[in-house]
């Protein structure tokens, strides 16, 4: 179909983007659960404090005074977080949640992104250039290897024939000249000096 022939999606990038989207989605869910748990803990603490104040208000005499002073001591030591600390923690959680959702959205958009024909053509040209450079490098290496092999063979032959034997030395001492005969054959004349 037309869509299949003209869909230039990068499957590797798509899979990587889908994995990123999945991990960001999981992180967002975890942050949402954290925010909900903190909200529930705050509500539970407020409910328990309200129940304690209700019980204290019903107490009379020494028990009532004891509960009142116990609450005053508890308020003086302040084991709970300040309102500012709680607000900062909630803001940090909401910010982390927004960032995770933004990253997840970007990853989903990257997963569904398709490449334009120009991008594909640029990638194909870049790959062709890289292959051409690799072929040229291989050709240069092959030429250098052949040159080295020829030099090694030449050195071996030179080494083999560099030792002169006395029996062949006197036959090579003459001068050579060549001339064409009437039949076109090359005739070599050797003359000794």
């Amino acid at each position: 179909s037309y869509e299949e022939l003209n869909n230039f999606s990068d499957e590797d990038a798509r899979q990587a983007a889908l994995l990123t989207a999945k991990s960001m989605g999981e992180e967002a869910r975890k942050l949402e659960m954290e925010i909900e748990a903190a909200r529930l803990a705050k509500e539970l603490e407020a409910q328990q404090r309200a129940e304690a104040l209700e019980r204290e208000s019903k107490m009379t005499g020494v028990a009532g005074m004891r509960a009142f002073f116990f609450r005053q001591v508890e308020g003086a030591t302040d084991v709970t977080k300040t309102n500012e600390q709680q607000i900062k923690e909630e803001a940090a959680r909401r910010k982390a949640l927004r960032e995770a959702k933004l990253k997840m959205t970007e990853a989903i958009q990257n997963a569904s992104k398709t490449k334009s024909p120009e991008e594909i053509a640029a990638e194909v040209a870049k790959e062709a250039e890289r292959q051409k450079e690799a072929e040229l490098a291989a050709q240069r290496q092959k030429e250098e290897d052949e040159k080295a092999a020829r030099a090694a063979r030449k050195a071996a032959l030179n080494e083999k024939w560099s030792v002169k034997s006395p029996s062949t030395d006197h036959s090579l001492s003459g001068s050579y000249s060549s001339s064409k005969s009437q039949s076109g054959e090359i005739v070599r004349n050797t003359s000794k000096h």
Side-chain angles (χ1 to χ4, degrees), residues 157-168:
L157 287 173
N158 285 342
E159 181 67 31
K160 179 179 177 183
W161 298 105
S162 67
V163 179
K164 296 182 179 180
S165 63
S167 62
T168 59

Side-chain angles (χ1 to χ4, degrees), residues 46-150:
Q47 182 182 5
Q48 289 174 345
R49 183 150 180 87
E51 289 172 357
L53 287 173
E54 183 66 30
R55 278 193 312 268
E56 179 184 318
S57 68
K58 292 181 182 175
M59 291 182 189
T60 58
V62 176
M65 293 302 276
R66 179 179 180 276
F68 172 77
F69 286 115
F70 182 75
R71 185 169 44 86
Q72 294 300 320
V73 169
E74 183 184 74
T77 56
D78 194 20
V79 293
T80 61
K81 296 176 182 175
T82 64
N83 197 27
E84 183 180 356
Q85 289 172 329
Q86 291 175 350
I87 290 171
K88 284 182 180 178
E89 286 179 358
E90 288 174 15
R93 282 192 211 104
R94 285 193 306 270
K95 181 180 178 184
L97 178 62
R98 275 193 313 271
E99 289 174 357
K101 284 185 176 182
L102 180 66
K103 287 179 183 177
M104 182 179 72
T105 304
E106 288 175 2
I108 289 171
Q109 288 173 349
N110 288 340
S112 60
K113 178 183 175 187
T114 57
K115 293 183 180 182
S116 69
E118 292 81 20
E119 290 174 319
I120 296 293
E123 285 183 10
V124 168
K126 185 178 179 182
E127 180 64 21
E129 182 66 27
R130 188 191 64 75
Q131 287 179 352
K132 185 177 178 181
E133 288 175 2
E135 288 174 4
L136 286 174
Q139 182 67 24
R140 281 193 296 266
Q141 182 65 36
K142 182 179 175 184
E143 289 171 0
E144 289 175 9
D145 291 345
E146 288 174 354
K147 193 175 191 180
R150 281 194 307 270

Side-chain angles (χ1 to χ4, degrees), residues 15-26 103-104 107-108:
Q15 292 302 322
L18 286 174
L19 286 175
T20 303
K22 183 179 179 182
S23 67
M24 288 297 116
E26 290 171 357
K103 287 179 183 177
M104 182 179 72
I108 289 171

